[in-house]
Amino acid sequence: MAKKKSYGSRGQTWHPDFIQYMEEIAAHPGYAGMPDARTEDGRIQWEAPSNRKSGRFKDTHHKRRNWWRRKAQELGIRVDSPQWISRAAKTLHPTKRKPCKRCGRVMELAYVYPQARLLARITSLPKFDKNFKFAEFEPIDALLRRLVAHHGDAILDNLSSVFRTHGIAPPSLGRDLEAWLHWLRATYIVAEPPLLSPGAMSNAPDRFEGFHHFNLCCRGKADTGRHRTNLSSYVTDRRAFEYWNDGDWIAADRLMGVIRANLGKEPCLNGHAGPCNADHTGPLSLGFAHRPEFQLMCTPCNSGKNNRLSLRDVQKLRESEKQGERVVSWHSRAVWDSRKSSIVDDETALRMTKLLRDNRRTTMSILGDIASVGHLAFLASLLHLKLADSDVEILETKIKNSTVRVARMQRKNRETKYAAIQKARRVRIAFASLSTYTSKKRRNSFVVMTPKAEKHLSSALRMLERTSQSTKDLDRRVAKALGTSSDASLKQIVDELTNVDDPMFAAAFREIEAAMEAVGAELGTRWDDERYVRAERDETD
C-alpha cells in the first residue's frame, strides 16, 4: 500500500479535505501543463512564492505566471485588462468553492459573505428585530431568505440603501424576494462589491489553482498579518502618515468643518443623495498633500474608495497641478512624478496606489529610524506646526461637480493659547502613531532601499549628529514630554519646536529628500513588476 503523502511544516498540518481537494485540482484537465506540478517525491507543488531566490523551484513562480497568461488568452481574457489573472483563476476553477487548508470548511470563491458594514446597515433597518441572530459566514442570499422568513417581506422595503456602494446603484424591486435574489447573484455578487467578501482571496500564481489556501473562516487566525489586532490598527497606520504630509492642514480642517456643518446634503460625486463626507481626491494615506479641497462622497462611496486612486482622481490631481497647485508631499513626489503620466485607466491607477503604499512604508521606516536615535526636534520640524499660529475663516466656498474649494478665506494670528494646544496634540499623535507603526510586526512590510538612498540617509544622520547643544537639549525635553501621559509638558516647549533654527535641519532634510527621490525613481522602474500588476482587493499594511 502506497504511503500517504504528508503536507505541512512548523507544526502545522493541512486538513485532509484540503489535501484531497489538491489532488482533484492537480488531476483536473483544466490545469494540465502546470509547471513544476509535483516534487521529486510525488507531492503537489502547491505553493510557488515569488521570493524564492535559489533551488530547483526558484523560477516556478515566473513559469506559472506565463502559464496563467496563456490560460487567460485561451479563456478569452485579455492579459492587459484589469485583474486578468484573478479573473482567469475564477473562470477556470471547476467548482467555484474550496475547503480551507486549516479547518476544512468549504466556502464559495464568489463575493457572497457580508462584511460587518453591511450587517450594520441591516441592523439599522426600521423593521429589524434586534433578537434576530446572524449566522457565521452565511452567504448573502441565504441571509436574505432568513430575514424575510423572520420579519416578513416588509424588511425588503429599504434594501436599495443597504446594498448601495461605490459604482453600484441597486434597483427598486420592492417586496419581490425572488427578484432581489436573482439580482444579487446575477449582478451584485459578480461586481464584487466592497460590502461583501469572497470565501478565499485570489492569489495566482502563488497558489496552484490561484486562491489563498486559508479561507475567510481562518484567515484572521492562521495568517499573522490578518490577526484581528493587526487589522484593527491598519486604519491607524494610514492615519499616522497624514501628520507627516505637506499641506495647509489648518485651512483643510476648517473647510472640512464647513462641509460637515453646511454642505453635507449636497449630492455625492457619483450622483447619490447626501448626506456626504469630505473626501480627499488624493488620499493622505498615499502621501498626497492636505489641501483645502474635497470631493463630496456619500458614506458607501467613500468606504468603497478605501484609500485607493481611481483614474478620475488622477485626472483631477493632474489638472490641479496644471493650475500650479502642489498636490503631493515631499516624500511621495518622486514616485508620483515618475509614473503619473502612465496612468490611463483604473487598473494603472491602482498600480500607482500600490507604489505609493510601498513608498509610505519606506518613508515611515526612515522616520522611525531617525526617531530611534533621538532626533525628535528635527522630526517635529516636518509637522508644519507654525500653521497653528494662524486662525482661518472660510468666507466663501465654490462647489463644482461635487468638489468643494475655498473661494475666499481670511487668515489672522491667534491670540489665544489654542495654538499651543493644537501643536502639542499634533506632536503627540504624530510621534505616538510613528512609534506604533514602526514597532508592529508586519506581514507585508516592503521597504524599498537603494545604495544611493542609503548614502543620502547616512549623510543626513551625520548632519543631525552635528546639531547644536541647545537642539540636543530640546531633543531630550521632547522625549521626556512624550513619556508623560498629558500634553502639559509639550505645551511648554512647542513654541521652541516651532521656531528652532538649526542650520543642520535644512541640510539634513535635503539629504532625506534626495534619498526619497532615489526611492521614488526605483519604484518607478518597477511599474510592470508583478507586485503592482497583480490583483489586490484589500490593503493590510
Side-chain angles (χ1 to χ4, degrees):
M1 182 176 179
K3 183 179 179 181
K4 196 171 185 179
K5 299 176 181 66
S6 62
Y7 295 87
S9 62
R10 291 175 292 182
Q12 296 181 352
T13 57
W14 296 13
H15 196 278
D17 290 350
F18 183 77
I19 295 174
Q20 176 63 31
Y21 162 78
M22 289 167 56
E23 292 289 350
E24 292 170 358
I25 289 291
H28 193 278
Y31 301 93
M34 179 67 71
D36 300 332
R38 293 185 183 268
T39 61
E40 291 180 345
D41 62 1
R43 290 185 302 165
I44 299 170
Q45 181 88 228
W46 194 256
E47 301 175 359
S50 59
N51 59 358
R52 278 183 180 153
K53 303 300 182 185
S54 61
R56 176 187 167 191
F57 299 110
K58 67 181 179 64
D59 296 322
T60 300
H61 183 91
H62 178 71
K63 289 190 288 186
R64 287 190 179 180
R65 184 172 184 82
N66 288 336
W67 183 91
W68 278 106
R69 184 176 284 107
R70 293 190 296 271
K71 181 60 67 172
Q73 293 169 336
E74 179 185 315
L75 295 170
I77 297 171
R78 290 179 51 180
V79 295
D80 60 349
S81 61
Q83 301 181 1
W84 67 267
I85 196 167
S86 63
R87 289 166 53 216
K90 293 167 189 174
T91 302
L92 180 61
H93 199 278
T95 64
K96 314 304 181 195
R97 57 182 63 230
K98 63 173 284 292
C100 175
K101 186 182 84 167
R102 186 174 188 262
C103 73
R105 180 194 287 265
V106 175
M107 299 187 76
E108 292 188 52
L109 300 176
Y111 278 65
V112 301
Y113 301 101
Q115 296 220 40
R117 284 180 293 149
L118 181 58
L119 298 180
R121 291 186 188 182
I122 292 173
T123 59
S124 66
L125 289 172
K127 298 178 176 62
F128 182 77
D129 178 4
K130 303 302 181 183
N131 294 315
F132 180 85
K133 302 297 182 184
F134 292 108
E136 189 176 38
F137 308 122
E138 183 176 25
I140 183 60
D141 45 358
L143 170 60
L144 192 56
R145 285 189 184 278
R146 282 205 310 118
L147 282 167
V148 171
H150 182 93
H151 299 84
D153 56 11
I155 197 71
L156 302 174
D157 288 345
N158 297 291
L159 280 194
S160 292
S161 63
V162 169
F163 292 123
R164 182 160 59 94
T165 188
H166 181 56
I168 303 176
S172 297
L173 300 175
R175 297 184 177 183
D176 189 338
L177 173 61
E178 293 306 318
W180 276 112
L181 294 173
H182 175 76
W183 175 79
L184 281 172
R185 283 288 173 176
T187 303
Y188 196 64
I189 289 170
V190 296
E192 300 186 351
L195 293 171
L196 297 175
S197 291
M201 298 296 293
S202 176
N203 199 16
D206 294 53
R207 302 294 181 264
F208 194 103
E209 93 292 37
F211 293 92
H212 203 285
H213 43 212
F214 297 124
N215 283 0
L216 182 64
C217 49
C218 288
R219 194 174 179 197
K221 305 171 188 175
D223 188 337
T224 56
R226 303 295 299 183
H227 283 174
R228 187 175 298 275
T229 52
N230 270 354
L231 286 173
S232 65
S233 63
Y234 290 141
V235 172
T236 303
D237 290 348
R238 299 196 293 265
R239 295 288 185 229
F241 198 43
E242 71 180 63
Y243 291 94
W244 305 98
N245 286 355
D246 291 336
D248 191 341
W249 57 277
I250 291 290
D253 286 353
R254 184 54 56 91
L255 179 58
M256 192 176 291
V258 170
I259 291 173
R260 280 196 298 265
N262 304 314
L263 304 175
K265 293 184 179 179
E266 292 287 331
C268 167
L269 182 67
N270 296 312
H272 305 140
C276 287
N277 305 309
D279 171 72
H280 290 87
T281 305
L284 299 185
S285 64
L286 300 180
F288 289 94
H290 198 11
R291 298 184 299 140
E293 175 185 313
F294 297 97
Q295 301 176 138
L296 297 176
M297 297 186 80
C298 63
T299 297
C301 288
N302 202 10
S303 298
K305 181 178 176 181
N306 191 26
N307 296 286
R308 289 177 172 85
L309 285 171
S310 67
L311 176 61
R312 179 174 60 184
D313 296 329
V314 172
Q315 290 169 335
K316 292 175 72 173
L317 290 165
R318 291 192 295 220
E319 185 59 35
S320 293
E321 286 188 315
K322 288 180 182 178
Q323 303 302 316
E325 294 186 49
R326 178 169 288 186
V327 302
V328 69
S329 302
W330 65 269
H331 43 65
S332 304
R333 190 177 308 126
V335 64
W336 167 250
D337 287 345
S338 73
R339 284 296 178 178
K340 63 186 177 186
S341 61
S342 301
I343 302 170
V344 295
D345 52 24
D346 284 337
E347 188 276 327
T348 45
L350 181 58
R351 278 198 232 182
M352 175 58 77
T353 298
K354 298 173 190 175
L355 287 172
L356 287 167
R357 286 179 192 164
D358 280 347
N359 189 78
R360 178 186 76 204
R361 293 162 182 144
T362 303
T363 302
M364 294 296 276
S365 176
I366 289 171
L367 297 180
D369 288 345
I370 295 170
S372 69
V373 292
H375 301 303
L376 306 184
F378 168 74
L379 289 176
S381 73
L382 306 180
L383 296 175
H384 304 289
L385 298 177
K386 199 166 187 62
L387 288 168
D389 289 333
S390 298
D391 190 16
V392 170
E393 181 181 2
I394 306 295
L395 301 175
E396 184 182 348
T397 58
K398 181 179 180 180
I399 305 177
K400 184 179 180 180
N401 298 327
S402 295
T403 299
V404 182
R405 299 179 176 88
V406 175
R408 193 161 54 93
M409 69 180 182
Q410 180 176 310
R411 196 185 300 272
K412 57 185 178 181
N413 292 333
R414 289 190 191 275
E415 298 179 356
T416 66
K417 297 180 179 179
Y418 187 58
I421 294 172
Q422 278 191 304
K423 291 177 184 179
R425 180 178 179 275
R426 188 171 180 82
V427 169
R428 181 175 294 283
I429 294 176
F431 279 100
S433 55
L434 177 61
S435 175
T436 300
Y437 188 99
T438 54
S439 65
K440 189 175 68 180
K441 182 179 180 181
R442 296 176 180 280
R443 176 182 64 90
N444 194 29
S445 187
F446 185 74
V447 174
V448 178
M449 193 54 59
T450 68
K452 184 177 180 180
E454 288 179 341
K455 181 179 177 180
H456 285 296
L457 289 174
S458 296
S459 178
L461 289 172
R462 287 195 299 270
M463 291 174 179
L464 290 174
E465 288 297 331
R466 300 201 299 268
T467 55
S468 66
Q469 188 57 49
S470 62
T471 298
K472 289 181 171 62
D473 290 340
L474 184 57
D475 286 333
R476 285 189 285 270
R477 283 187 285 152
V478 174
K480 184 177 180 181
L482 290 173
T484 64
S485 58
S486 74
D487 288 343
S489 298
L490 276 175
K491 284 189 286 186
Q492 294 175 10
I493 60 175
V494 286
D495 283 341
E496 288 183 72
L497 282 175
T498 304
N499 299 302
V500 63
D501 185 21
D502 194 306
M504 290 295 103
F505 281 12
F509 178 73
R510 285 193 295 271
E511 291 296 318
I512 295 170
E513 195 172 31
M516 291 310 300
E517 287 174 0
V519 168
E522 173 64 22
L523 280 166
T525 67
R526 302 186 185 191
W527 181 250
D528 293 316
D529 190 283
E530 183 186 334
R531 178 178 178 84
Y532 307 108
V533 174
R534 67 183 179 184
E536 179 183 302
R537 285 300 305 267
D538 59 337
E539 178 185 359
T540 57
D541 186 350

